[in-house]
Amino acid sequence: MEHGDINVVYSVEHQLPLVMYIGQYFFFTGLSAGSFVISVIATLLGRKEFKPIGKITAVLAPALLIIAPINLIADLEQPLRFWHLFLYYNWTSPITYGSFLLTAYPVMGIIYAVMVYTNRQTPAKILGILGIPLAVSVHGYTGFILALAKARSLWNTAAMPTIFLVSAMVSGIGLVVIIAAIRWKWFDKDATEEQRAGDKKLILQLAQFMAYTLMLDLFLIFSDILVLLTAHSDAYEAGLLILTGNFAPLFVGVELILGALIPMILVLGPTRKSMTAVVVASILVNIGVYAMRYVMVIGGQTVPLS
Amino acid sequence: MAHKRYAMVIDIRRCIGCHACSVACKAEMAVPLEVNATWLKIVEKGVYPDARRFFLPRTCNNCEDAICARNCPTKATYKRDDGIVAVDQHRCIGCKYCIASCPYDVRYINPLKNIVQKCYFCSHRVDAGLVPACVETCPTRAIVFGDRNDPRSEISQVLAANATNVLKAEMQTGPQVFYISADESTMSNVEEEINYYTEPTLIKLRF
């Protein structure tokens, strides 16, 4: 080479601190926040045909959020010291917000679910409206966990919390579509033909909503990558890593093509009236979002720091 | 009396790349295998016979505005009054968020104790009036350690008389390990950038 070779002969890199437990936790809180928002929309609109979906999602939201923090505790090097989070809190750390949000949100979710199931409309609506900011912050703060770890250029962007929220909506709606479709197929036999047609229409509409949210998600990812590629050298490295480097198969192949483009074609294209296509699209979307969590959490730590 | 502000100056012109600082650190702090609190980064520039090795002793910068202390959810990592960033090993829950936040990759999980550790400027030695083990052992006296708030200390005089650099100043962490005559390509973490774009390829998407 003209300017001569430069080789790193020796340096130390320590193991990746955050492993896929964290990605899985992000995935589960995302599903929970997404299904809670759907549930509240169904409750607020109050139409009779939305009731089943409102009920399914009211259970899903707290159930998923009880699973999610198990990943967090499993990830700790000292799991039995998890109570230090509450006793020795530090208000400048996003994890501290998280530990309180993760306690408050399932409690509220369970009370909300009881209200929905006992048909008490007014308290359910009030709790729903109060719960949406809580659901948004319980998932939004996970975006801040990554964004505020300033060492990692793939995470340290203002777009991160929004990307997490939007992808949470996408995967949450996907899960609701899958479960609503299972109910429609096997557990909805007593309903009249008219009701079944109405339920099917509702599921298809939900899937379309999912496709439009996917478009917003794709736009956010596009703007994030574009800025990464024009920013400082670390950010450029991170952008290349996921576009053409080791994480390209997962990011471009699974997250963008399998998890976004194909589902969008399935839901909005000629197969848009087919229940099978919509369910396949929802499964693909969830695979894509899971891949996104992997690329973000693991890929973000792959750019060397020293 | 004003607080002490411990800092370190490493004079790369004197460094001979002997790894004595890494060995002293391992012994003093009982750093387990596979992890390092102090190490020597070595970069080779040029092609034989016009080649040279450049050294960069690396350790925790004990930053003024430490992102690890700010992000620690239990305040296990905290800044002492004398500027040393310490980890309370009984309080650390091992969430590893500090490792993810640190721009210098100097923190590690101690595989024997299952908590996060790093260099504390040998705070136990400093409290006893000694200098850190790496400073004591360095055969060419390339490392100067002391109180930056005391204008008569050796470190204050070295800092006043020399041009210094810190690692990743853009991170706004205020590193307290200063380097004299450190090579830019050795301080950089991005290997791709070091090759000065001699071969334009398709993946150079820089706008």
Side-chain angles (χ1 to χ4, degrees), chain A:
Chain A
M1 274 190 214
E2 290 168 46
H3 297 268
D5 276 319
I6 296 179
N7 295 309
V8 176
V9 179
Y10 180 78
S11 189
V12 167
E13 275 175 33
H14 289 120
Q15 66 176 89
L16 296 191
L18 305 183
V19 291
M20 204 42 203
Y21 276 129
I22 303 294
Q24 246 168 58
Y25 156 73
F26 290 161
F27 183 69
F28 280 120
T29 46
L31 286 176
S32 169
S35 35
F36 187 78
V37 170
I38 296 291
S39 175
V40 173
I41 292 173
T43 310
L44 287 182
L45 292 177
R47 301 234 302 266
K48 206 168 162 245
E49 63 263 35
F50 291 169
K51 276 248 172 84
I53 287 199
K55 283 188 173 175
I56 294 171
T57 44
V59 182
L60 269 182
L64 287 165
L65 214 93
I66 289 164
I67 301 171
I70 294 173
N71 286 296
L72 284 184
I73 293 179
D75 181 63
L76 293 183
E77 296 294 319
Q78 296 279 356
L80 293 179
R81 292 187 189 169
F82 76 93
W83 52 273
H84 286 196
L85 287 165
F86 300 97
L87 202 61
Y88 307 119
Y89 53 84
N90 175 11
W91 289 121
T92 57
S93 170
I95 292 184
T96 293
Y97 312 147
S99 36
F100 288 96
L101 287 169
L102 282 172
T103 322
Y105 174 79
V107 172
M108 196 255 357
I110 290 169
I111 300 174
Y112 167 81
V114 170
M115 294 302 161
V116 168
Y117 271 80
T118 51
N119 256 328
R120 278 177 272 186
Q121 285 297 320
T122 321
K125 281 182 185 172
I126 294 171
L127 270 176
I129 293 170
L130 290 177
I132 282 195
L134 199 56
V136 166
S137 36
V138 100
H139 193 65
Y141 106 90
T142 61
F144 281 109
I145 284 193
L146 294 191
L148 295 182
K150 64 176 161 188
R152 317 283 170 167
S153 42
L154 188 62
W155 301 350
N156 188 13
T157 70
M160 200 46 58
T162 324
I163 290 183
F164 266 70
L165 279 177
V166 173
S167 59
M169 278 304 291
V170 171
S171 64
I173 302 170
L175 183 70
V176 174
V177 167
I178 295 168
I179 291 178
I182 290 173
R183 175 181 174 274
W184 181 81
K185 178 91 182 162
W186 286 295
F187 301 99
D188 203 13
K189 296 292 184 201
D190 305 335
T192 60
E193 272 310 301
E194 199 184 332
Q195 272 177 330
R196 281 179 62 79
D199 280 353
K200 183 179 175 181
K201 200 175 148 223
L202 191 66
I203 293 171
L204 295 180
Q205 277 175 347
L206 257 181
Q208 288 197 347
F209 184 38
M210 176 180 79
Y212 296 132
T213 326
L214 256 181
M215 285 178 194
L216 179 60
D217 193 26
L218 283 181
F219 168 72
L220 286 170
I221 290 171
F222 166 77
S223 60
D224 190 34
I225 299 281
L226 190 63
V227 175
L228 277 181
L229 289 179
T230 48
H232 56 86
S233 50
D234 268 24
Y236 177 69
E237 282 293 301
L240 279 192
L241 177 80
I242 59 174
L243 270 188
T244 60
N246 288 344
F247 284 81
L250 265 180
F251 177 70
V252 181
V254 180
E255 182 182 341
L256 294 185
I257 296 175
L258 196 68
L261 286 180
I262 294 177
M264 261 159 57
I265 295 168
L266 283 174
V267 171
L268 300 175
T271 52
R272 64 179 176 276
K273 298 263 186 257
S274 152
M275 206 64 165
T276 320
V278 162
V279 170
V280 170
S282 304
I283 294 171
L284 287 180
V285 155
N286 269 292
I287 293 172
V289 172
Y290 194 84
M292 176 263 185
R293 308 298 195 225
Y294 184 85
V295 169
M296 277 298 162
V297 172
I298 309 295
Q301 302 172 77
T302 312
V303 178
L305 292 177
S306 64

Side-chain angles (χ1 to χ4, degrees), chain B residues 82-143:
Chain B
D82 56 11
I84 294 176
V85 177
V87 181
D88 181 340
Q89 61 169 333
H90 300 293
R91 190 178 281 197
C92 175
I93 59 173
C95 71
K96 293 160 283 191
Y97 190 37
C98 52
I99 310 183
S101 313
C102 173
Y104 306 103
D105 201 12
V106 294
R107 292 176 154 261
Y108 57 84
I109 297 284
N110 183 323
L112 306 176
K113 291 183 169 180
N114 289 339
I115 51 157
V116 176
Q117 287 186 328
K118 67 179 193 72
C119 156
Y120 317 116
F121 280 165
C122 282
S123 54
H124 58 292
R125 289 175 60 94
V126 172
D127 290 344
L130 303 167
V131 292
C134 54
V135 181
E136 177 117 344
T137 203
C138 181
T140 56
R141 281 177 287 147
I143 313 175

Side-chain angles (χ1 to χ4, degrees), chain B residues 144-184:
Chain B
V144 176
F145 178 84
D147 176 13
R148 216 150 65 82
N149 277 355
D150 175 7
R152 284 166 305 172
S153 65
E154 187 189 359
I155 190 166
S156 295
Q157 289 167 7
V158 171
L159 278 173
N162 289 281
T164 55
N165 267 329
V166 292
L167 286 167
K168 295 189 190 171
E170 74 276 9
M171 284 293 171
Q172 292 285 354
T173 46
Q176 296 301 303
V177 174
F178 299 86
Y179 294 95
I180 297 173
S181 190
D183 175 53
E184 194 280 328

Side-chain angles (χ1 to χ4, degrees), chain B residues 5-32:
Chain B
R5 186 68 17 170
Y6 286 121
M8 199 178 259
V9 181
I10 303 178
D11 190 344
I12 307 294
R13 295 170 300 184
R14 289 184 165 202
C15 179
I16 54 171
C18 66
H19 292 272
C21 47
S22 320
V23 176
C25 177
K26 277 265 183 191
E28 177 72 29
M29 301 300 292
V31 180

